[in-house]
């Protein structure tokens, strides 16, 4: 009886963990994602209306591109990427981040921009990503 109860508890725990692993916002449209992200940024950075509208357009474009890449990856073969493909993807990702940073720098005040960079650094650190990995090795 104890074994059955243990197995049942283990099954419930695994099921709950598996359901929690879905990405937030995966079922939201690009417009909904951009709206929510813009509102969070407006609250955190105290954006003016004109700034919020510009940020929304940037985030909407970003969300639409992300959805398109996601759909493209789903339809592709699941085989491993070649070294050149990995390089191209990473290069594209970094170019996108640089462009995003430049756009945000043009919209935000200096103080808001510093706070935005700090927020993004913390978010990336939580996700286990760091674009500053190589800078620490020098």
């Amino acid at each position: 009886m104890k074994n059955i109860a243990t197995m049942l508890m283990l099954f419930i725990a695994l099921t709950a963990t598996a359901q929690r692993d879905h990405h937030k916002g995966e079922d939201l449209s690009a417009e909904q994602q951009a709206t929510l992200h813009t509102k969070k940024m407006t609250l955190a950075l105290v954006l003016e209306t004109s700034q919020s509208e510009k940020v929304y357009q940037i985030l909407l474009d970003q969300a639409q591109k992300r959805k398109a890449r996601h759909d493209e990856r789903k339809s592709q073969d699941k085989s491993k990427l070649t070294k050149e493909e990995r390089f191209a993807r990473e290069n594209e990702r970094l170019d996108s981040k640089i462009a995003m940073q430049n756009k945000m720098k043009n919209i935000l005040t200096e103080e808001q921009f510093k706070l935005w960079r700090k927020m993004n650094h913390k978010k990336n650190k939580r996700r286990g990503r760091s674009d500053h990995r190589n800078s620490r090795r020098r």
Side-chain angles (χ1 to χ4, degrees):
M1 190 68 174
K2 285 184 181 180
N3 288 340
I4 294 173
T6 304
M7 294 299 279
L8 183 61
M9 292 299 287
L10 183 61
F11 178 76
I12 291 171
L14 287 174
T15 304
T17 303
Q19 289 175 353
R20 213 175 323 136
D21 286 344
H22 291 289
H23 296 286
K24 284 184 180 177
E26 193 173 90
D27 56 342
L28 297 177
S29 71
E31 292 80 9
Q32 291 170 325
Q33 288 178 3
T35 299
L36 293 177
H37 195 176
T38 302
K39 286 185 178 189
K40 287 177 184 178
M41 285 182 65
T42 299
L43 288 171
L45 302 176
V46 192
L47 299 179
E48 296 175 6
T49 305
S50 63
Q51 289 175 309
S52 290
E53 291 168 357
K54 291 174 185 175
V55 167
Y56 172 79
Q57 289 303 316
I58 292 170
L59 295 176
L60 177 60
D61 183 49
Q62 200 177 42
Q64 289 169 336
K65 287 178 181 176
R66 190 173 43 250
K67 287 255 185 211
R69 281 192 312 264
H70 178 72
D71 292 342
E72 180 183 319
R73 279 193 308 265
K74 277 180 117 176
S75 66
Q76 287 179 342
D77 185 22
K78 301 288 183 191
S79 61
K80 291 212 175 218
L81 296 174
T82 65
K83 192 185 302 186
E84 291 79 20
E85 289 171 328
R86 281 195 318 267
F87 173 77
R89 275 195 183 173
E90 184 66 10
N91 196 34
E92 182 182 332
R93 186 184 74 81
L94 292 173
D95 285 344
S96 176
K97 286 185 85 162
I98 291 169
M100 172 71 164
Q101 180 174 299
N102 290 334
K103 289 175 186 175
M104 294 304 285
K105 193 171 192 175
N106 290 331
I107 295 171
L108 303 176
T109 65
E110 190 173 325
E111 189 65 32
Q112 289 171 329
F113 183 72
K114 286 179 184 177
L115 184 55
W116 176 77
R117 292 227 6 186
K118 192 175 185 180
M119 288 169 34
N120 279 343
H121 180 71
K122 285 181 181 179
K123 180 176 68 173
N124 288 336
K125 201 171 185 180
R126 279 194 313 265
R127 290 182 178 171
R129 294 183 198 156
S130 177
D131 292 331
H132 308 288
R133 285 179 238 160
N134 295 332
S135 64
R136 292 184 182 165
R137 293 181 186 166
R138 292 181 189 162

